[in-house]
Amino acid sequence: MRDYSLVKINLTGGIASPGMLEGILLMAQKAGVKEVSIGARQQLLMWVKADTQRGSGLPNLRESLEAMHIDFEIDTHQYPNIISSYCAQEVFQTGQWLSEGIYRDVLDGFDFQPQLKINISDYKQSFTPFFTGNLNFIASSIPNFWYLYIRQKQSNTIFRFPLLIYTLEISKVSKRLEGILLSGADLSEEEIYEKMIAQGEIISQLVQEDLILPQFMLPYYEGFNRYGNKTWLGIYRRHETFEVAFLLDVCKICLDTKVGQICTTPWKSLIIKGIENQDRASWDKLLGKYGINVRHAANELNWQVEDHCQEGLALKNTIIREFDQEDIRTFGLCFAIQTRSKSEVFGSVVIKKRKILAGLTQVYDVYHTVDFNPNTRQLVLFEKGLHKTHIAEILQRLTKRYYHRSTASIAEKPLPPQTNSTSTHQVHQCKVCMTIYDEKLGDSQQGINAGTKFEELPDNYCCPVCDSEKENFEVKTVETTYQL
């Protein structure tokens, strides 16, 4: 029996009004909560003494949240938060036509709680992820029209929808696709398109040009920063938790100084925009009151671990200490640690834990994306079977590979064009971990040249990720723009 329950509150688009957040925090405080955290999908997370325990405040918290009409879940993850790049709007480099009002139009249009992961992204920024959702809407260069990239649940492939979607149609399209994708049927891209259009026309345009992924460059998202005639403040906590008392004071200053929004980020931090110059002293005083450091090294800010994962945090801190000792440069990279097989993390370098010897011990495998842009998500194995004490050394070698790339490989790249009729091909997929063997790519880690057919692989060939035998691969037909 668990002593504590996890309460998750979705902050749609990573946006919270100070008044609403203050109400939630006051209720949490009454329930005995002293710290809360931000999830990778910009949601608010808190542990509350389970209602099976004496003195639990969970029943009253549940009742209060329901009275405030705030959507929440307790120990379940049925409704993932809609995440957005609004937290980057104005303060980091973004596109030309997106504005607060357009984000609001999109987010306010959702009159249901999505069961699919939905991402709303500006096409120019590289602060929030593009493709970690099932439905990924990415602004095009045409005002008020969005690319849509779809990934079915439990799938490793993503494809581009053939139409650009109009801003005010995003919620309608999402609702239709949710019904289609959650039906349980194994559908092709063409079938998904036909089923959605059969439910009625939508305002759209044909895709005229490929989406160009921006070069990844994680901005420094902490501390006081000027933009225009105002200031924004970024707050990151090394242990990834925020004191409730501190956040209540944040809400109070926002309300007193007419700051209308508090943004959460996928890096589990907070961004407060619109701070007037005359109010800067109040914020300085607040940070001093709680001893909040807002000048962490960039080497520490470019990491992502799973939500509520002390194992991942401990490994991250160990690696960072070694990086500091060796004075390792990591600018342009971001790192992720995955300790649970089905969790999702965002990084150009990904460290995955793998259990061996029937789960008695574990090793770590290090991957990087093909071009070191985390949004491409096509992983290449760099080193496998590592003890955790050797990971930092291997990552140092990997950073050297990154910095020795040719200048040409750093330029912005368009996604390859996608058409249903010409991009279909067969691959072989591991039934255990879903890793794909594509004969077009081969398997360089095991000395398999590109162009080698699966049937020509040696009988002792095994999955490069989970070591499953060759017989555990099955044929899959894919029609993808590119693979995750």
Side-chain angles (χ1 to χ4, degrees):
M1 185 179 298
R2 296 180 60 177
D3 293 337
Y4 286 84
S5 290
L6 178 62
V7 178
K8 183 190 74 170
I9 298 173
N10 285 339
L11 305 176
T12 305
I15 307 170
S17 71
M20 180 194 74
L21 184 58
E22 181 183 51
I24 293 172
L25 293 170
L26 287 171
M27 289 183 286
Q29 194 175 56
K30 289 181 180 178
V33 177
K34 295 183 179 179
E35 295 180 332
V36 299
S37 61
I38 307 300
R41 291 196 64 83
Q42 298 173 278
Q43 69 273 53
L44 188 68
L45 305 170
M46 62 185 79
W47 290 102
V48 185
K49 186 180 290 187
D51 52 14
T52 55
Q53 302 298 310
R54 179 178 299 177
S56 169
L58 189 57
N60 287 337
L61 177 60
R62 181 190 293 113
E63 183 178 337
S64 299
L65 290 172
E66 290 173 348
M68 285 185 65
H69 305 289
I70 293 173
D71 295 324
F72 64 95
E73 291 185 80
I74 300 176
D75 293 328
T76 60
H77 300 281
Q78 185 177 358
Y79 302 104
N81 196 28
I82 301 173
I83 72 171
S84 81
S85 58
Y86 176 73
C87 55
Q89 182 68 25
E90 295 182 328
V91 298
F92 301 131
Q93 179 181 351
T94 55
Q96 298 298 312
W97 59 266
L98 264 177
S99 64
E100 176 185 346
I102 293 175
Y103 279 106
R104 283 293 183 188
D105 287 342
V106 173
L107 299 173
D108 290 346
F110 283 87
D111 57 357
F112 68 103
Q113 286 195 76
Q115 296 183 58
L116 294 178
K117 295 177 181 178
I118 298 177
N119 290 21
I120 311 294
S121 301
D122 190 345
Y123 72 109
K124 282 289 187 182
Q125 59 84 39
S126 60
F127 184 56
T128 63
F130 284 175
F131 302 115
T132 56
N134 304 113
L135 304 180
N136 302 280
F137 294 93
I138 304 169
S140 74
S141 59
I142 303 173
N144 274 306
F145 282 90
W146 303 70
Y147 293 99
L148 169 57
Y149 286 81
I150 299 174
R151 181 183 61 173
Q152 298 192 60
K153 296 195 74 171
Q154 309 303 321
S155 171
N156 287 337
T157 61
I158 191 167
F159 68 90
R160 189 186 67 199
F161 198 69
L163 302 176
L164 296 178
I165 309 300
Y166 182 62
T167 292
L168 297 181
E169 300 278 38
I170 287 178
S171 58
K172 181 197 296 184
V173 168
S174 299
K175 195 168 189 176
R176 288 184 187 179
L177 286 172
E178 184 157 294
I180 295 167
L181 297 177
L182 295 181
S183 65
D186 187 12
L187 301 173
S188 68
E189 298 170 29
E190 185 176 356
E191 289 171 327
I192 292 172
Y193 172 78
E194 290 177 350
K195 284 181 175 293
M196 199 196 80
I197 296 301
Q199 297 181 42
E201 293 296 327
I202 57 172
I203 302 173
S204 61
Q205 292 187 23
L206 288 173
V207 175
Q208 300 295 327
E209 58 184 13
D210 297 327
L211 170 66
I212 296 179
L213 288 180
Q215 177 188 345
F216 178 78
M217 198 62 64
L218 182 66
Y220 192 87
Y221 56 85
E222 195 183 31
F224 290 100
N225 301 271
R226 293 292 300 274
Y227 71 108
N229 58 357
K230 295 185 178 181
T231 296
W232 65 268
L233 170 63
I235 306 173
Y236 162 82
R237 302 301 287 148
R238 176 170 291 163
H239 40 66
E240 297 190 351
T241 59
F242 294 84
E243 291 182 53
V244 170
F246 167 69
L247 291 182
L248 283 170
D249 280 349
V250 168
C251 293
K252 184 178 186 305
I253 292 184
C254 287
L255 291 170
D256 289 344
T257 60
K258 296 181 172 54
V259 171
Q261 297 163 343
I262 298 171
C263 295
T264 58
T265 83
W267 301 95
K268 305 180 182 180
S269 65
L270 297 176
I271 288 180
I272 297 102
K273 308 177 190 177
I275 298 174
E276 300 287 352
N277 293 332
Q278 65 267 23
D279 300 321
R280 167 71 182 266
S282 298
W283 289 97
D284 279 322
K285 184 177 179 180
L286 174 62
L287 297 177
K289 175 181 176 181
Y290 289 93
I292 304 293
N293 172 30
V294 289
R295 284 300 170 196
H296 291 90
N299 267 4
E300 185 170 356
L301 297 178
N302 60 354
W303 285 78
Q304 188 178 90
V305 301
E306 298 144 319
D307 296 342
H308 288 146
C309 182
Q310 293 303 313
E311 178 185 3
L313 276 177
L315 179 57
K316 167 191 169 180
N317 291 333
T318 297
I319 296 171
I320 289 172
R321 283 195 297 270
E322 293 196 39
F323 277 11
D324 286 342
Q325 290 172 2
E326 299 297 327
D327 201 20
I328 301 300
R329 173 182 169 86
T330 63
F331 182 75
L333 293 171
C334 61
F335 301 82
I337 297 176
Q338 183 186 61
T339 65
R340 301 187 288 266
S341 60
K342 294 186 178 180
S343 66
E344 186 152 27
V345 289
F346 177 70
S348 50
V349 176
V350 181
I351 304 157
K352 293 187 178 185
K353 184 177 83 169
R354 174 163 53 92
K355 294 182 179 180
I356 58 174
L357 301 178
L360 294 177
T361 187
Q362 64 276 327
V363 293
Y364 296 86
D365 304 325
V366 175
Y367 298 80
H368 66 86
T369 52
V370 171
D371 58 357
F372 290 94
N373 186 329
N375 280 310
T376 61
R377 298 181 64 79
Q378 188 175 354
L379 295 178
V380 175
L381 181 65
F382 183 72
E383 196 74 53
K384 66 183 297 186
L386 298 172
H387 188 274
K388 63 182 179 181
T389 56
H390 298 144
I391 295 176
E393 177 186 351
I394 296 302
L395 292 181
Q396 291 177 43
R397 285 172 41 198
L398 185 52
T399 59
K400 291 179 181 178
R401 170 180 290 191
Y402 169 68
Y403 290 117
H404 281 94
R405 293 178 307 155
S406 66
T407 304
S409 69
I410 301 177
E412 292 184 346
K413 300 179 180 180
L415 290 177
Q418 168 75 16
T419 59
N420 292 328
S421 60
T422 62
S423 63
T424 299
H425 69 287
Q426 287 189 335
V427 299
H428 288 75
Q429 186 175 57
C430 175
K431 292 186 286 187
V432 177
C433 70
M434 311 303 285
T435 295
I436 286 177
Y437 175 82
D438 188 337
E439 69 178 51
K440 294 180 180 179
L441 303 176
D443 185 345
S444 60
Q445 296 299 320
Q446 300 194 65
I448 308 297
N449 294 327
T452 303
K453 295 182 179 180
F454 187 81
E455 294 76 16
E456 298 172 353
L457 296 176
D459 292 338
N460 63 351
Y461 177 80
C462 61
C463 174
V465 175
C466 69
D467 291 330
S468 290
E469 298 176 350
K470 183 179 177 182
E471 63 187 26
N472 286 326
F473 283 73
E474 59 183 350
V475 176
K476 291 286 187 179
T477 299
V478 296
E479 303 173 350
T480 60
T481 305
Y482 63 70
Q483 296 176 345
L484 290 176

